[in-house]
Amino acid sequence: MERLPGFRDFYPEPLPSHDAGWSFDARQYIFDKWRETARRYGFREYDGPPLESLELFTTKSGDEIVGQLYNFTDKGDRAVALRPEMTPTLARMVAAHERNYKKPIKWFAIPQLFRYERQQKGRLREHFQFNADLIGETDPAADAELIALLIDTLRAFGLTKEDFVLRLSSRNAWHEFYETGRDGVSPSQKTDEYDFFQTIDKLERTPPQESETKLAALGFSLADVTQFIESGKPTVELQSILDNLAARGLREFVKVDYHVIRGLAYYTGTVFEAFDAKGEFRAIAGGGRYNNLVKLISGGRVDLPALGFGMGDVVLLELLRARDLLPKFDATTDVYVLIEDEPLRAQSLKLTQNLRAAGYAVDYPLTPTKSDKQFKRAQELKVGYTARVESDDYVRIRNMKTREEVVAGFADVANHLG
Amino acid sequence: MERLPGFRDFYPEPLPSHDAGWSFDARQYIFDKWRETARRYGFREYDGPPLESLELFTTKSGDEIVGQLYNFTDKGDRAVALRPEMTPTLARMVAAHERNYKKPIKWFAIPQLFRYERQQKGRLREHFQFNADLIGETDPAADAELIALLIDTLRAFGLTKEDFVLRLSSRNAWHEFYETGRDGVSPSQKTDEYDFFQTIDKLERTPPQESETKLAALGFSLADVTQFIESGKPTVELQSILDNLAARGLREFVKVDYHVIRGLAYYTGTVFEAFDAKGEFRAIAGGGRYNNLVKLISGGRVDLPALGFGMGDVVLLELLRARDLLPKFDATTDVYVLIEDEPLRAQSLKLTQNLRAAGYAVDYPLTPTKSDKQFKRAQELKVGYTARVESDDYVRIRNMKTREEVVAGFADVANHLG
């Protein structure tokens, strides 16, 4: 029986046959760094259900998203979907209990997310994502705090400014450009502005002639748009974020880049994406302000400004591997108890129990095993020490690195382990 | 918008309105203890996909299980299901790459599992489960090692022999009883023995007259069955497990109890369940040997003996709450940086950055805030210290416990934090 296409098995350590290097070890390493950085920034972890009502996702993203979802009708006739993203769940949870929390709310999660796109052969249908959000503060200081978290998260993996860049942009800047450019042409319409944003979003992947035509239909010229992007002039809001980041010593990781506008309709202000500096990979992370979402999800009951970002495990792992920044994950067994004299097995089990109770990771041969095989096993497990019960009262301890041996009293073994 | 019935939101800390006490804090506390105990026993963590082919589960449990699953047809016309248990995935993963691993394989996982039973109103449809398995060893020493892990996992939460008991039994003992009792009655048939096991499994929840009738139809008397259970005489295999546990000092946590046979058809030897000693809750954990499953799942390609157990988070949390064994989960912010002088905000951000880079969890007011409000926020966050930049060169540090204050050089703050 096979696993479903697009899903990953996480074996404890990388398999020789797994080029991609997926393993539980690597996954846990990434999760630990995410958690540790979030902790330093005062973000608290939450989680929601992996299955939600379909409506939660269509309310945010429109019915088009259904084509990309793992959605189905459950046995109670509910339209449900495996979560494709975390933000709608977060908005639902915050709206349900916002009065319990002082603002700003600083939360993060590490959900597994699911997408089903039929044509995407060979592409993953699930991934894990570090989601950090800051809710209840409109000031750009909040944007700076969240972006600083994103930068320091990548730095926690050993990535430097030679490895990645955060491209900072703003829907507000583009809105202003749109409003100004349309002066005297026609009254702006919301759908028009959305089309305009979509055209900007696709600019880098579209032939210039095509963009020119699309922009002309909206009352703009490609030359003006290109000039605006190339000026890279920060708005007052972006300048405030840049100054804030400069005070932290993080200015060099950020570049104003108005190419970034992000396709999702719901962003309302600052938007940003992190890329590897060489441009070899897809975006490492992306996010921005979504000041209207909590209101939308709560049916107007709760109105809170918010912003957040998501960072997936897949591109990040690829980048860390390419930059040789994944550590070697060694097994964590501390002691191997050698049992060479079967009458001493009971006493050896007692020693095993005592050392485990003292916090050591301990293994031993479950059944009678030849001495050399036991020693080989201890070496495979890369243990720091072996311990052999010599009598009810004494234990011979061997430091596997220094090869030094000592004989210790039975109750005294832990004192000889480093 | 509401979350789906039977699913849980995990807020960072318990909400006043959440009687059940679900919170991410509590969940993480439980996961950490599970991981820590597994580590001491030399078990390595793995994970598989939450979505698998339906066939994986029906192969193990028969088509009846479909009535209890979250199953559906995906957009590629595959019959799939959210995993209701982890063992089939484990068997699939081990069978696929068993040659990469030295035996015995000692693995654990903490999957979220899903069941959809239409009539179960108010009952949870998901839970997390600690799954530990030992693969590739038939000797009862493996059973003892796994049971010891189960016991020490519960002890890691502060539970004692006054709180829980592990009821140990054996399919082999019942098989022997069945074969002996049927001597000269009729040749035993596999379906008959399955019916017999089912009747034993339900004995404690069935009126005696009904059990009597069912047993008679299979060629047994309730009196003989009851006598066998009451004798509680360990088989050679069980005695070996008990002796092994005695050597570890864990004998007192275990009671031979032949009531336990476990309904699942696939167990082949030792079976066991852990219960709270007062009998107030459902089983805390259960498991046993399943020597045929890897062979079944791999279509006969790989044949490996195995045993394992599962321990859910729901009953465990209820028990820990009832015994007052859940710690108070305090937020983990170390330092609050007070910004009372706005011209010093940039320098305060720099201090925040430095302390975070040094590993401290640090928070600060995002926007200009009154002094007393800032101090109150620091108290709410239960920080150990406040730090106020007094000039570019000096910082005033206050120990929130002792109320002592010192003024330190800007680069020297971390040396004054405990």
Side-chain angles (χ1 to χ4, degrees), chain A residues 216-260:
Chain A
L218 296 160
F220 294 90
S221 77
L222 181 57
D224 284 354
V225 161
T226 307
Q227 202 207 330
F228 175 71
I229 292 173
E230 280 173 3
S231 81
K233 193 176 169 292
T235 59
V236 172
E237 175 196 45
L238 293 186
Q239 191 58 55
S240 158
I241 295 171
L242 293 172
D243 291 346
N244 185 308
L245 292 170
R248 302 173 198 238
L250 300 178
R251 177 65 185 85
E252 60 189 357
F253 295 93
V254 183
K255 193 179 92 181
V256 173
D257 186 340
Y258 288 130
H259 280 109
V260 175

Short mmCIF file of all heavy atoms in Angstrom, two decimals, chain A residues 216-260:
data_model
loop_
_atom_site.label_atom_id
_atom_site.label_comp_id
_atom_site.label_asym_id
_atom_site.label_seq_id
_atom_site.Cartn_x
_atom_site.Cartn_y
_atom_site.Cartn_z
N ALA A 216 -3.20 49.96 -20.14
CA ALA A 216 -3.85 51.00 -20.95
C ALA A 216 -5.37 50.95 -20.77
O ALA A 216 -6.03 51.98 -20.64
CB ALA A 216 -3.47 50.83 -22.41
N ALA A 217 -5.89 49.73 -20.74
CA ALA A 217 -7.34 49.56 -20.56
C ALA A 217 -7.82 50.12 -19.23
O ALA A 217 -8.98 50.50 -19.07
CB ALA A 217 -7.70 48.08 -20.67
N LEU A 218 -6.88 50.19 -18.26
CA LEU A 218 -7.23 50.72 -16.94
C LEU A 218 -6.86 52.20 -16.81
O LEU A 218 -7.06 52.81 -15.76
CB LEU A 218 -6.52 49.91 -15.85
CG LEU A 218 -6.92 48.43 -15.76
CD1 LEU A 218 -5.84 47.62 -15.04
CD2 LEU A 218 -8.26 48.27 -15.07
N GLY A 219 -6.29 52.76 -17.89
CA GLY A 219 -5.95 54.19 -17.88
C GLY A 219 -4.53 54.49 -17.45
O GLY A 219 -4.24 55.59 -16.98
N PHE A 220 -3.61 53.51 -17.57
CA PHE A 220 -2.22 53.73 -17.15
C PHE A 220 -1.25 53.35 -18.26
O PHE A 220 -1.61 52.59 -19.17
CB PHE A 220 -1.90 52.89 -15.91
CG PHE A 220 -2.68 53.32 -14.71
CD1 PHE A 220 -3.92 52.75 -14.44
CD2 PHE A 220 -2.19 54.30 -13.86
CE1 PHE A 220 -4.65 53.15 -13.34
CE2 PHE A 220 -2.93 54.71 -12.75
CZ PHE A 220 -4.15 54.13 -12.49
N SER A 221 -0.02 53.85 -18.13
CA SER A 221 1.01 53.43 -19.09
C SER A 221 2.05 52.58 -18.36
O SER A 221 2.34 52.82 -17.18
CB SER A 221 1.69 54.64 -19.72
OG SER A 221 2.63 55.20 -18.82
N LEU A 222 2.59 51.60 -19.05
CA LEU A 222 3.63 50.75 -18.45
C LEU A 222 4.84 51.59 -18.05
O LEU A 222 5.47 51.33 -17.02
CB LEU A 222 4.05 49.66 -19.45
CG LEU A 222 5.12 48.66 -18.98
CD1 LEU A 222 4.69 47.96 -17.70
CD2 LEU A 222 5.44 47.64 -20.06
N ALA A 223 5.13 52.62 -18.84
CA ALA A 223 6.29 53.48 -18.54
C ALA A 223 6.13 54.15 -17.17
O ALA A 223 7.06 54.16 -16.36
CB ALA A 223 6.46 54.54 -19.63
N ASP A 224 4.94 54.67 -16.89
CA ASP A 224 4.70 55.33 -15.60
C ASP A 224 4.83 54.32 -14.46
O ASP A 224 5.40 54.62 -13.40
CB ASP A 224 3.30 55.95 -15.57
CG ASP A 224 3.24 57.25 -16.39
OD1 ASP A 224 4.32 57.68 -16.87
OD2 ASP A 224 2.14 57.79 -16.54
N VAL A 225 4.24 53.16 -14.68
CA VAL A 225 4.28 52.12 -13.65
C VAL A 225 5.74 51.72 -13.37
O VAL A 225 6.18 51.64 -12.23
CB VAL A 225 3.44 50.89 -14.09
CG1 VAL A 225 3.83 49.64 -13.31
CG2 VAL A 225 1.95 51.19 -13.94
N THR A 226 6.49 51.50 -14.46
CA THR A 226 7.89 51.09 -14.31
C THR A 226 8.69 52.17 -13.59
O THR A 226 9.51 51.88 -12.72
CB THR A 226 8.51 50.80 -15.69
OG1 THR A 226 7.67 49.87 -16.36
CG2 THR A 226 9.91 50.23 -15.56
N GLN A 227 8.41 53.40 -13.95
CA GLN A 227 9.13 54.50 -13.30
C GLN A 227 8.85 54.54 -11.80
O GLN A 227 9.75 54.74 -10.99
CB GLN A 227 8.73 55.82 -13.96
CG GLN A 227 9.79 56.92 -13.75
CD GLN A 227 9.20 58.31 -13.79
OE1 GLN A 227 8.20 58.54 -14.49
NE2 GLN A 227 9.79 59.24 -13.06
N PHE A 228 7.58 54.32 -11.45
CA PHE A 228 7.20 54.33 -10.04
C PHE A 228 7.93 53.22 -9.29
O PHE A 228 8.46 53.42 -8.19
CB PHE A 228 5.68 54.16 -9.89
CG PHE A 228 5.22 54.04 -8.47
CD1 PHE A 228 5.25 55.13 -7.62
CD2 PHE A 228 4.76 52.82 -7.97
CE1 PHE A 228 4.84 55.03 -6.30
CE2 PHE A 228 4.34 52.71 -6.66
CZ PHE A 228 4.39 53.81 -5.82
N ILE A 229 7.96 52.03 -9.88
CA ILE A 229 8.65 50.91 -9.24
C ILE A 229 10.13 51.22 -9.10
O ILE A 229 10.73 51.03 -8.04
CB ILE A 229 8.44 49.61 -10.05
CG1 ILE A 229 6.98 49.17 -9.97
CG2 ILE A 229 9.36 48.50 -9.53
CD1 ILE A 229 6.63 47.99 -10.85
N GLU A 230 10.73 51.73 -10.17
CA GLU A 230 12.18 51.96 -10.15
C GLU A 230 12.59 53.07 -9.20
O GLU A 230 13.69 53.04 -8.64
CB GLU A 230 12.71 52.22 -11.57
CG GLU A 230 12.89 50.91 -12.30
CD GLU A 230 13.25 51.09 -13.77
OE1 GLU A 230 13.42 52.25 -14.20
OE2 GLU A 230 13.36 50.06 -14.47
N SER A 231 11.69 54.05 -8.99
CA SER A 231 11.99 55.11 -8.01
C SER A 231 12.20 54.48 -6.63
O SER A 231 13.08 54.88 -5.88
CB SER A 231 10.84 56.12 -7.96
OG SER A 231 9.79 55.64 -7.16
N GLY A 232 11.39 53.47 -6.31
CA GLY A 232 11.51 52.80 -5.01
C GLY A 232 11.41 53.75 -3.83
O GLY A 232 11.96 53.52 -2.77
N LYS A 233 10.70 54.84 -4.01
CA LYS A 233 10.64 55.85 -2.96
C LYS A 233 9.67 55.40 -1.87
O LYS A 233 8.49 55.19 -2.12
CB LYS A 233 10.16 57.17 -3.58
CG LYS A 233 10.33 58.38 -2.70
CD LYS A 233 9.93 59.66 -3.43
CE LYS A 233 9.84 60.83 -2.48
NZ LYS A 233 8.75 60.75 -1.52
N PRO A 234 10.17 55.24 -0.64
CA PRO A 234 9.29 54.76 0.43
C PRO A 234 8.21 55.78 0.76
O PRO A 234 8.47 56.98 0.76
CB PRO A 234 10.21 54.58 1.63
CG PRO A 234 11.59 54.90 1.18
CD PRO A 234 11.54 55.49 -0.18
N THR A 235 7.03 55.32 1.03
CA THR A 235 5.98 56.18 1.58
C THR A 235 6.36 56.54 3.01
O THR A 235 7.29 55.97 3.58
CB THR A 235 4.63 55.45 1.61
OG1 THR A 235 4.80 54.28 2.43
CG2 THR A 235 4.18 55.03 0.23
N VAL A 236 5.63 57.47 3.59
CA VAL A 236 5.87 57.85 4.99
C VAL A 236 5.77 56.62 5.89
O VAL A 236 6.60 56.41 6.80
CB VAL A 236 4.83 58.93 5.44
CG1 VAL A 236 4.94 59.18 6.94
CG2 VAL A 236 5.05 60.23 4.65
N GLU A 237 4.77 55.81 5.61
CA GLU A 237 4.53 54.58 6.40
C GLU A 237 5.71 53.62 6.27
O GLU A 237 6.25 53.12 7.28
CB GLU A 237 3.24 53.96 5.85
CG GLU A 237 2.83 52.63 6.38
CD GLU A 237 1.76 52.02 5.45
OE1 GLU A 237 1.93 52.06 4.19
OE2 GLU A 237 0.76 51.52 5.96
N LEU A 238 6.16 53.38 5.03
CA LEU A 238 7.29 52.48 4.84
C LEU A 238 8.57 53.05 5.45
O LEU A 238 9.38 52.31 6.02
CB LEU A 238 7.50 52.18 3.34
CG LEU A 238 6.40 51.37 2.65
CD1 LEU A 238 6.80 51.03 1.21
CD2 LEU A 238 6.08 50.09 3.42
N GLN A 239 8.75 54.37 5.34
CA GLN A 239 9.93 55.00 5.92
C GLN A 239 9.96 54.78 7.43
O GLN A 239 11.02 54.52 8.02
CB GLN A 239 9.97 56.50 5.60
CG GLN A 239 11.29 57.17 5.95
CD GLN A 239 12.48 56.52 5.24
OE1 GLN A 239 12.50 56.39 4.02
NE2 GLN A 239 13.46 56.05 6.01
N SER A 240 8.81 54.84 8.03
CA SER A 240 8.72 54.64 9.48
C SER A 240 9.11 53.21 9.85
O SER A 240 9.81 52.97 10.84
CB SER A 240 7.29 54.97 9.93
OG SER A 240 6.99 54.33 11.14
N ILE A 241 8.71 52.26 9.02
CA ILE A 241 9.11 50.86 9.24
C ILE A 241 10.61 50.70 9.07
O ILE A 241 11.29 50.07 9.88
CB ILE A 241 8.34 49.93 8.27
CG1 ILE A 241 6.84 49.96 8.58
CG2 ILE A 241 8.87 48.50 8.36
CD1 ILE A 241 5.98 49.25 7.55
N LEU A 242 11.14 51.33 8.00
CA LEU A 242 12.58 51.23 7.73
C LEU A 242 13.41 51.83 8.87
O LEU A 242 14.42 51.27 9.28
CB LEU A 242 12.92 51.92 6.40
CG LEU A 242 12.35 51.24 5.14
CD1 LEU A 242 12.59 52.12 3.91
CD2 LEU A 242 12.94 49.85 4.95
N ASP A 243 12.95 52.99 9.39
CA ASP A 243 13.67 53.62 10.50
C ASP A 243 13.65 52.73 11.73
O ASP A 243 14.65 52.60 12.45
CB ASP A 243 13.03 54.98 10.84
CG ASP A 243 13.25 56.01 9.73
OD1 ASP A 243 14.11 55.76 8.85
OD2 ASP A 243 12.55 57.04 9.73
N ASN A 244 12.49 52.15 11.98
CA ASN A 244 12.34 51.25 13.13
C ASN A 244 13.31 50.07 13.00
O ASN A 244 14.02 49.71 13.95
CB ASN A 244 10.88 50.77 13.20
CG ASN A 244 10.59 49.92 14.42
OD1 ASN A 244 11.28 48.96 14.68
ND2 ASN A 244 9.54 50.29 15.16
N LEU A 245 13.35 49.48 11.80
CA LEU A 245 14.25 48.34 11.58
C LEU A 245 15.71 48.77 11.67
O LEU A 245 16.56 48.02 12.17
CB LEU A 245 13.96 47.69 10.23
CG LEU A 245 12.60 46.98 10.14
CD1 LEU A 245 12.32 46.57 8.69
CD2 LEU A 245 12.55 45.76 11.06
N ALA A 246 16.00 50.01 11.22
CA ALA A 246 17.37 50.52 11.30
C ALA A 246 17.81 50.62 12.76
O ALA A 246 18.95 50.27 13.10
CB ALA A 246 17.46 51.88 10.61
N ALA A 247 16.90 51.06 13.64
CA ALA A 247 17.23 51.16 15.06
C ALA A 247 17.61 49.80 15.63
O ALA A 247 18.42 49.70 16.55
CB ALA A 247 16.04 51.75 15.83
N ARG A 248 17.03 48.74 15.09
CA ARG A 248 17.34 47.39 15.56
C ARG A 248 18.58 46.80 14.88
O ARG A 248 18.98 45.68 15.18
CB ARG A 248 16.17 46.45 15.25
CG ARG A 248 14.84 46.86 15.86
CD ARG A 248 13.74 45.95 15.34
NE ARG A 248 12.43 46.54 15.54
CZ ARG A 248 11.46 45.96 16.24
NH1 ARG A 248 11.64 44.79 16.78
NH2 ARG A 248 10.29 46.56 16.37
N GLY A 249 19.12 47.53 13.89
CA GLY A 249 20.25 46.98 13.14
C GLY A 249 19.82 46.00 12.07
O GLY A 249 20.61 45.20 11.59
N LEU A 250 18.56 46.08 11.64
CA LEU A 250 18.05 45.11 10.67
C LEU A 250 17.76 45.74 9.30
O LEU A 250 17.19 45.10 8.42
CB LEU A 250 16.78 44.43 11.20
CG LEU A 250 16.91 43.65 12.51
CD1 LEU A 250 15.55 43.08 12.94
CD2 LEU A 250 17.93 42.52 12.37
N ARG A 251 18.16 47.00 9.12
CA ARG A 251 17.83 47.72 7.90
C ARG A 251 18.38 47.05 6.65
O ARG A 251 17.73 47.02 5.60
CB ARG A 251 18.35 49.17 8.00
CG ARG A 251 18.16 50.04 6.78
CD ARG A 251 16.70 50.30 6.48
NE ARG A 251 16.53 51.05 5.23
CZ ARG A 251 16.50 50.51 4.03
NH1 ARG A 251 16.65 49.19 3.90
NH2 ARG A 251 16.30 51.24 2.95
N GLU A 252 19.56 46.47 6.77
CA GLU A 252 20.25 45.91 5.59
C GLU A 252 19.57 44.68 5.01
O GLU A 252 19.91 44.24 3.91
CB GLU A 252 21.70 45.58 5.94
CG GLU A 252 21.81 44.56 7.06
CD GLU A 252 23.24 44.38 7.57
OE1 GLU A 252 24.16 45.01 7.02
OE2 GLU A 252 23.43 43.59 8.52
N PHE A 253 18.61 44.12 5.73
CA PHE A 253 17.92 42.93 5.22
C PHE A 253 16.72 43.28 4.34
O PHE A 253 16.09 42.40 3.77
CB PHE A 253 17.45 42.04 6.37
CG PHE A 253 18.57 41.47 7.18
CD1 PHE A 253 19.05 42.11 8.31
CD2 PHE A 253 19.17 40.28 6.78
CE1 PHE A 253 20.10 41.58 9.04
CE2 PHE A 253 20.23 39.75 7.50
CZ PHE A 253 20.70 40.40 8.64
N VAL A 254 16.40 44.59 4.28
CA VAL A 254 15.15 45.01 3.66
C VAL A 254 15.39 45.91 2.46
O VAL A 254 16.28 46.76 2.48
CB VAL A 254 14.27 45.77 4.68
CG1 VAL A 254 12.93 46.15 4.07
CG2 VAL A 254 14.05 44.91 5.92
N LYS A 255 14.58 45.71 1.42
CA LYS A 255 14.68 46.54 0.23
C LYS A 255 13.25 46.93 -0.18
O LYS A 255 12.39 46.05 -0.25
CB LYS A 255 15.32 45.70 -0.89
CG LYS A 255 15.77 46.44 -2.11
CD LYS A 255 16.41 45.47 -3.12
CE LYS A 255 15.36 44.97 -4.09
NZ LYS A 255 15.88 44.02 -5.08
N VAL A 256 13.01 48.23 -0.37
CA VAL A 256 11.69 48.61 -0.89
C VAL A 256 11.59 48.13 -2.33
O VAL A 256 12.48 48.41 -3.14
CB VAL A 256 11.48 50.14 -0.81
CG1 VAL A 256 10.17 50.53 -1.51
CG2 VAL A 256 11.44 50.60 0.65
N ASP A 257 10.54 47.39 -2.62
CA ASP A 257 10.38 46.83 -3.96
C ASP A 257 8.89 46.77 -4.30
O ASP A 257 8.18 45.87 -3.86
CB ASP A 257 11.03 45.44 -4.03
CG ASP A 257 11.02 44.88 -5.45
OD1 ASP A 257 10.20 45.37 -6.28
OD2 ASP A 257 11.81 43.98 -5.73
N TYR A 258 8.46 47.74 -5.13
CA TYR A 258 7.03 47.85 -5.42
C TYR A 258 6.52 46.79 -6.39
O TYR A 258 5.33 46.76 -6.68
CB TYR A 258 6.69 49.26 -5.91
CG TYR A 258 6.74 50.32 -4.82
CD1 TYR A 258 7.45 51.51 -5.00
CD2 TYR A 258 6.07 50.11 -3.61
CE1 TYR A 258 7.49 52.48 -4.01
CE2 TYR A 258 6.12 51.08 -2.61
CZ TYR A 258 6.82 52.25 -2.81
OH TYR A 258 6.86 53.20 -1.82
N HIS A 259 7.42 45.93 -6.87
CA HIS A 259 6.91 44.77 -7.62
C HIS A 259 5.98 43.93 -6.76
O HIS A 259 5.05 43.32 -7.24
CB HIS A 259 8.07 43.87 -8.08
CG HIS A 259 8.78 44.37 -9.29
ND1 HIS A 259 10.06 44.87 -9.22
CD2 HIS A 259 8.41 44.44 -10.59
CE1 HIS A 259 10.45 45.24 -10.44
NE2 HIS A 259 9.46 44.99 -11.28
N VAL A 260 6.33 43.88 -5.46
CA VAL A 260 5.55 43.05 -4.54
C VAL A 260 4.22 43.72 -4.24
O VAL A 260 4.18 44.87 -3.79
CB VAL A 260 6.33 42.81 -3.22
CG1 VAL A 260 5.46 42.04 -2.23
CG2 VAL A 260 7.64 42.09 -3.50
#
